[in-house]
Amino acid sequence: SETFLALRNISCGHSSPLSAFHVLCCRYVSKAAVNTQADYDYDRPLMKTQVPGPRSKELTKQMGQIQNNTAINFFCNYEESRGNFLVDVDGNRMLDVYTQIASIPIGYNHPALLKVVSDPNNASAFVNRPALGILPPESFVDKLTEGLLTVAPKGLNRVQNMACGSCSNENAYKAMFIWYRNKERGTSIPSDADLNPGCPELSILSFSGAFHGRTMGCLATTHSKPIHKLDVPSFDWPIAPFPRLQYPLDEHVRENAQEEARCLEETEDLIVKWRHKGMPVAGVVIEPIQAEGGDNHASAAFFISLRKIASKHGCAFHVDEVQTGGGATGRFWAHEHWGAEDPADIVSFSKKLLTGGFFYRDEMETDKPYRIFNTWMGDPSKNLLLAEVLNVIRQENLLAEVTRTGKALLGGLYELQAKYPNLLSRARGQGTFCAIDVCKASVRDKLILQARDNGVILGGCGDLSIRFRPALIFKEHHVHMFLNVFSDLLAAHK
Amino acid sequence: SETFLALRNISCGHSSPLSAFHVLCCRYVSKAAVNTQADYDYDRPLMKTQVPGPRSKELTKQMGQIQNNTAINFFCNYEESRGNFLVDVDGNRMLDVYTQIASIPIGYNHPALLKVVSDPNNASAFVNRPALGILPPESFVDKLTEGLLTVAPKGLNRVQNMACGSCSNENAYKAMFIWYRNKERGTSIPSDADLNPGCPELSILSFSGAFHGRTMGCLATTHSKPIHKLDVPSFDWPIAPFPRLQYPLDEHVRENAQEEARCLEETEDLIVKWRHKGMPVAGVVIEPIQAEGGDNHASAAFFISLRKIASKHGCAFHVDEVQTGGGATGRFWAHEHWGAEDPADIVSFSKKLLTGGFFYRDEMETDKPYRIFNTWMGDPSKNLLLAEVLNVIRQENLLAEVTRTGKALLGGLYELQAKYPNLLSRARGQGTFCAIDVCKASVRDKLILQARDNGVILGGCGDLSIRFRPALIFKEHHVHMFLNVFSDLLAAHK
């Protein structure tokens, strides 16, 4: 409808340090959007305490008796959370622009998902977790066909389900090693020497700033923060430079192209060097947008050239879409923005897809049992929920919505960095998968905490960035809610 | 009640090759046991086709278009499965003595678990999967306290939830590496040199025949089958010999003690050797019963001595109870059979506990955030189900039942190996966690397939073993059902 929501009356129950500034700042106002989640989503944040509030602090203390509690932000009331709004145990209701590290696809307590759980026909899937690799349920082929396979990346006809992102990447690496050795030996039948001990000197090439998970194979390719790797043994695998681009990308085409050419050249050198070292690169792994490492982008041309270099040297090309996949860039997969005919040999996923796994080209299939295997290999109850998420994405045309919302978000960030050039820079993004840099880490961290106290949950990434990771049901009026809170904070910043 | 079930009339719809032998063999008959699952469990197998039947074969073929299908046994109708009986898509109903690779604790579709799923108060836990390390649900501390912490191993007051067995072991290894380096440097604050690159030369000592998972850190400690490791790079970590004991253990005390002493000595030598190599052993990992590797047992004295050797050399001691934990040995943890005051520094679990994770000693706690971390870190919906499983175990006194049932099972195996000494040997077990060896791998494999066609699901392990992994609700009359089918097969074996 055509009514307008005035967002200046965001209600903050506690005395906000920002209230004095409300009148000073421009207000974003929004049409009530075509908003199919209106019936269950909240319309605004509602703050009762600072965050974490007393109940969260008490529970965090209790948690400290049981396990490390130093990363806990606050405790949540998931029952009361709805759509784009996360409610905490102190009754604070916050606009969630971080969504459990980018892992909630269509908001909290989506009615379509609640229906899946309450359907008695589905109960068995939730209580009888099978060993999927040996004893799958009758419906599993259909659920894969109706679910994951409907979003299969171009050229990748096969999919292996796994339980989480790290397991997905670990097993994708194994699939690349196996494929590479079969190619080398010209047969999938190992010799006795192959079997004893069977562990060749092979490597995976990854990029500086990359994040691919925290188990030991993944961790050898993760370079976003030193604390992740500290004290954990690793492999001597090559690490290529990821382009450090200047933003906005379309204003720095020439410099960025030079930077990307430099990185491509160095990548190819490393592949040759590691082959000469006797530790050939079986696969190259890369994120379409480096997420944990600071939302670092590269051009379609860069990725397409990189894929060609990998192919030229006989390396598999693995695109890690654990954080970028599932629609937040406005395409289901971020790599679709490349417009490549032949984008990858393997694409791994998790988070918004609710189940982990990886898509792969026919020739990456292992021919023998128990090589890509574990007890659970995923969880069919997650595939039930995923099939419903994909239905909602299609029915509500959410990818187009994300593109529209993302334009509003990135436009707002451009305006703010123009207004506060000493505070903000490098606004960037695809769809709602956006980020902006803050002048100093301490200021970035403070802004994130202040935003939370004012009803907006944000996340950091890299050294200086704030990343935006809303659900796919985040609309323009939610962008305006965020921008109002954030611009007040910036105006108040001394 | 006192009625007797004559089990010779197990109904096999298809013409069984064994029916001619039914009259030749002794019949086990059972009292109808005190059997609280009687109201929902089936009373016997019911076979309609060979397994896999035509519908399973069709679905397996379809699965082959999507992913590797070479490990699939058959497709299941989990909706129709009940208690100890797994129903397949061709309508065959089989007594399940393998339970999804030992991962179903209290049988299929247990009413108590169905109630958890149908309770509308729990719906939110199934649809809103949180990033547990930063935004746990309000009830999570209570669920840990009512659930996992009630079964905490002696001396281990803390528990870290994880999503699966491999992630549990990977993170347990990381916890040991971090603990070891903190001890070495005398502080948890890393120097700049520590941080760059931060990956020291440390190792985990494991045992020949061990299985600890298939991700790359775990795989470096897994040695049960060469195919698991084939083509995957690994670490140069020490592998100690696991004792090769003679069974029954109480008839070979002296020889077994010598064998164990030899293994302990070699283990200590390896720890010293790897320290001299500049790759000190941060942790020793071992299964209380090597499961995948062939159900290899060792004495309590062996484990207690090993734990002392680890402590003496400053190595953490990690007991992997992924397969043994959860009650199948008649104690909740297999290591309780050692009677040790101080059994371990870390105990990892998964499978029957429905969630992965590891218990650990206070001093193994990492002091910093984001070191033992990932997006999901488990799944609170599994903790809801686990709390209910633990209630059922207590209410139905299932550990005592397992001990009773296990005696019947092992007794039956002893009888069979006495009767068929050329076919069977080395019957062994604790609780229902039993195994027996068959003269040849091909005979073992054939017996498992024949048992399945006659309504009993068994699993293999090691080179020659059949392993028994029933649910905790497996009763004496189920043992007799199995023994009747199995003794017929043995009698028929040429």
Side-chain angles (χ1 to χ4, degrees), chain A residues 55 59 62-68 70-76 78-79 86 89 98 100-101 103-104 108-109 113-114 117 121 123-124 126-131 133-138 140-141 144-145 149 157-161 163-164 167 170 174 177-178 181-182 185 190 194-195 198-200 202 214-217 219 226-235 237 350-351 354 360 365-371 373-376 379 382 385, chain B residues 55 59 62-68 70-76 78-79 86 89 98 100-101 103-104 108-109 113-114 117 121 123-124 126-131 133-138 140-141 144-145 149 157-161 163-164 167 170 174 177-178 181-182 185 190 194-195 198-200 202 214-217 219 226-235 237 350-351 354 360 365-371 373-376 379 382 385:
Chain A
R55 176 78 179 133
L59 285 167
Q62 290 175 23
M63 190 71 143
Q65 302 299 310
I66 300 173
Q67 58 184 235
N68 187 306
T70 54
I72 291 178
N73 292 351
F74 54 86
F75 277 74
C76 304
Y78 287 104
E79 289 74 15
L86 179 60
V89 292
Y98 191 45
Q100 313 291 325
I101 323 179
S103 69
I104 300 287
Y108 297 103
N109 286 307
L113 300 186
L114 289 171
V117 175
N121 292 325
S124 160
F126 288 95
V127 303
N128 303 305
R129 189 173 186 177
I134 57 172
L135 296 164
E138 180 159 26
F140 198 62
V141 170
L144 288 174
T145 306
L149 287 176
N157 299 318
R158 302 176 78 78
V159 66
Q160 182 59 64
N161 31 283
C164 72
C167 286
E170 289 274 344
K174 284 173 66 175
F177 290 131
I178 291 167
R181 282 292 296 136
N182 281 345
R185 69 165 75 89
D194 281 339
L195 280 165
C199 303
L202 292 174
R214 296 155 178 278
T215 49
M216 292 184 71
L219 195 58
I227 190 77
H228 298 158
K229 299 170 85 89
L230 177 64
D231 301 340
V232 185
S234 194
F235 293 105
W237 290 353
S350 188
K351 289 193 185 260
L354 306 182
Y360 56 107
E365 183 62 279
T366 54
D367 61 335
K368 292 193 178 48
Y370 302 110
R371 301 194 70 176
F373 191 84
N374 58 49
T375 300
W376 285 325
D379 182 341
K382 307 300 182 193
L385 294 166
Chain B
R55 176 77 178 133
L59 286 167
Q62 289 175 23
M63 190 72 142
Q65 302 299 310
I66 300 173
Q67 59 184 234
N68 187 305
T70 54
I72 291 178
N73 292 351
F74 54 85
F75 277 73
C76 304
Y78 287 104
E79 290 73 16
L86 179 60
V89 292
Y98 191 45
Q100 313 290 327
I101 322 180
S103 68
I104 300 287
Y108 298 102
N109 286 307
L113 301 185
L114 289 170
V117 175
N121 293 326
S124 160
F126 288 95
V127 303
N128 304 303
R129 188 173 187 177
I134 57 173
L135 295 164
E138 180 160 25
F140 198 62
V141 171
L144 288 174
T145 306
L149 287 177
N157 298 318
R158 304 176 76 80
V159 65
Q160 182 59 63
N161 33 283
C164 72
C167 286
E170 289 273 344
K174 285 172 66 175
F177 290 131
I178 291 168
R181 283 290 297 136
N182 281 343
R185 69 165 76 88
D194 281 338
L195 280 165
C199 303
L202 292 175
R214 297 155 177 276
T215 50
M216 293 184 69
L219 196 57
I227 190 77
H228 297 159
K229 299 170 84 92
L230 176 65
D231 302 340
V232 184
S234 195
F235 293 104
W237 290 353
S350 188
K351 290 193 184 261
L354 307 181
Y360 56 106
E365 182 63 279
T366 54
D367 60 336
K368 293 194 177 46
Y370 302 110
R371 300 194 72 176
F373 192 84
N374 59 49
T375 299
W376 285 325
D379 181 342
K382 306 301 182 192
L385 293 167

Side-chain angles (χ1 to χ4, degrees), chain A residues 336-348:
Chain A
E336 292 175 53
H337 291 280
W338 307 344
E341 266 317 296
D342 179 32
D345 298 307
I346 289 200
V347 170
S348 58

Side-chain angles (χ1 to χ4, degrees), chain A residues 122-241:
Chain A
N122 293 332
S124 160
F126 288 95
V127 303
N128 303 305
R129 189 173 186 177
L132 270 173
I134 57 172
L135 296 164
E138 180 159 26
S139 63
F140 198 62
V141 170
D142 283 350
K143 283 293 153 200
L144 288 174
T145 306
E146 294 163 13
L148 282 169
L149 287 176
T150 66
V151 293
K154 207 183 275 184
L156 308 189
N157 299 318
R158 302 176 78 78
V159 66
Q160 182 59 64
N161 31 283
M162 282 286 156
C164 72
S166 288
C167 286
S168 304
N169 283 341
E170 289 274 344
N171 281 283
Y173 295 177
K174 284 173 66 175
M176 295 194 288
F177 290 131
I178 291 167
W179 164 83
Y180 189 89
R181 282 292 296 136
N182 281 345
K183 203 161 49 95
E184 273 193 333
R185 69 165 75 89
T187 164
S188 68
I189 300 163
S191 68
D192 284 353
D194 281 339
L195 280 165
N196 193 0
C199 303
E201 298 276 323
L202 292 174
S203 61
I204 301 287
L205 180 139
S206 57
F207 289 83
S208 57
F211 183 94
H212 300 291
R214 296 155 178 278
T215 49
M216 292 184 71
C218 295
L219 195 58
T221 59
T222 286
H223 321 288
S224 52
K225 291 209 176 72
I227 190 77
H228 298 158
K229 299 170 85 89
L230 177 64
D231 301 340
V232 185
S234 194
F235 293 105
D236 174 26
W237 290 353
I239 307 164

Side-chain angles (χ1 to χ4, degrees), chain A residues 211-411:
Chain A
F211 183 94
H212 300 291
R214 296 155 178 278
T215 49
M216 292 184 71
C218 295
L219 195 58
T221 59
T222 286
H223 321 288
S224 52
K225 291 209 176 72
I227 190 77
H228 298 158
K229 299 170 85 89
L230 177 64
D231 301 340
V232 185
S234 194
F235 293 105
D236 174 26
W237 290 353
I239 307 164
F242 191 88
R244 297 287 300 164
L245 301 190
Q246 296 177 57
Y247 301 90
L249 295 176
D250 52 13
E251 291 176 21
H252 301 87
V253 174
R254 203 176 50 87
E255 307 92 305
N256 286 345
Q258 279 174 354
E259 165 68 355
E260 291 187 337
R262 179 186 75 83
C263 293
L264 289 169
E265 198 181 321
E266 203 163 320
T267 303
E268 189 160 8
D269 286 351
L270 285 169
I271 293 173
V272 172
K273 196 171 159 195
W274 251 256
R275 189 167 57 225
H276 290 158
K277 274 176 80 161
M279 202 186 252
V281 174
V284 170
V285 63
I286 196 161
E287 299 153 276
I289 302 169
Q290 283 193 336
E292 301 296 316
D295 273 36
N296 304 317
H297 292 249
S299 71
F302 171 80
F303 289 106
I304 290 170
S305 299
L306 183 65
R307 198 267 184 277
K308 280 189 189 141
I309 290 170
S311 299
K312 176 181 159 193
H313 291 278
C315 319
F317 190 63
H318 170 182
V319 179
D320 177 347
E321 294 247 22
V322 168
Q323 188 152 169
T324 50
T329 68
R331 303 284 186 92
F332 196 85
W333 303 109
H335 73 253
E336 292 175 53
H337 291 280
W338 307 344
E341 266 317 296
D342 179 32
D345 298 307
I346 289 200
V347 170
S348 58
F349 58 84
S350 188
K351 289 193 185 260
K352 279 196 179 57
L353 281 92
L354 306 182
T355 173
F358 58 94
F359 290 96
Y360 56 107
R361 194 174 290 290
D362 292 343
E363 50 269 43
M364 307 294 297
E365 183 62 279
T366 54
D367 61 335
K368 292 193 178 48
Y370 302 110
R371 301 194 70 176
I372 302 296
F373 191 84
N374 58 49
T375 300
W376 285 325
M377 299 186 86
D379 182 341
S381 71
K382 307 300 182 193
N383 292 66
L384 285 182
L385 294 166
L386 171 62
E388 198 52 41
V389 165
L390 296 175
N391 283 341
V392 170
I393 289 175
R394 282 185 277 259
Q395 282 160 12
E396 303 191 5
N397 203 13
L398 289 182
L399 298 186
E401 289 282 307
V402 163
T403 301
R404 203 162 69 108
T405 307
K407 275 189 186 133
L409 176 57
L410 192 56

Side-chain angles (χ1 to χ4, degrees), chain B residues 329-404:
Chain B
T329 68
R331 302 284 186 93
F332 196 84
W333 303 109
H335 73 254
E336 292 175 54
H337 291 279
W338 307 344
E341 265 317 295
D342 179 33
D345 298 307
I346 290 201
V347 171
S348 57
F349 57 85
S350 188
K351 290 193 184 261
K352 278 196 180 57
L353 281 91
L354 307 181
T355 173
F358 58 95
F359 291 95
Y360 56 106
R361 195 175 289 291
D362 292 344
E363 49 270 43
M364 307 293 297
E365 182 63 279
T366 54
D367 60 336
K368 293 194 177 46
Y370 302 110
R371 300 194 72 176
I372 302 296
F373 192 84
N374 59 49
T375 299
W376 285 325
M377 299 186 88
D379 181 342
S381 70
K382 306 301 182 192
N383 292 67
L384 285 182
L385 293 167
L386 171 63
E388 198 52 40
V389 165
L390 296 176
N391 283 341
V392 170
I393 290 175
R394 281 184 278 259
Q395 282 161 11
E396 303 191 4
N397 203 13
L398 289 182
L399 298 186
E401 289 283 307
V402 163
T403 301
R404 204 163 68 109

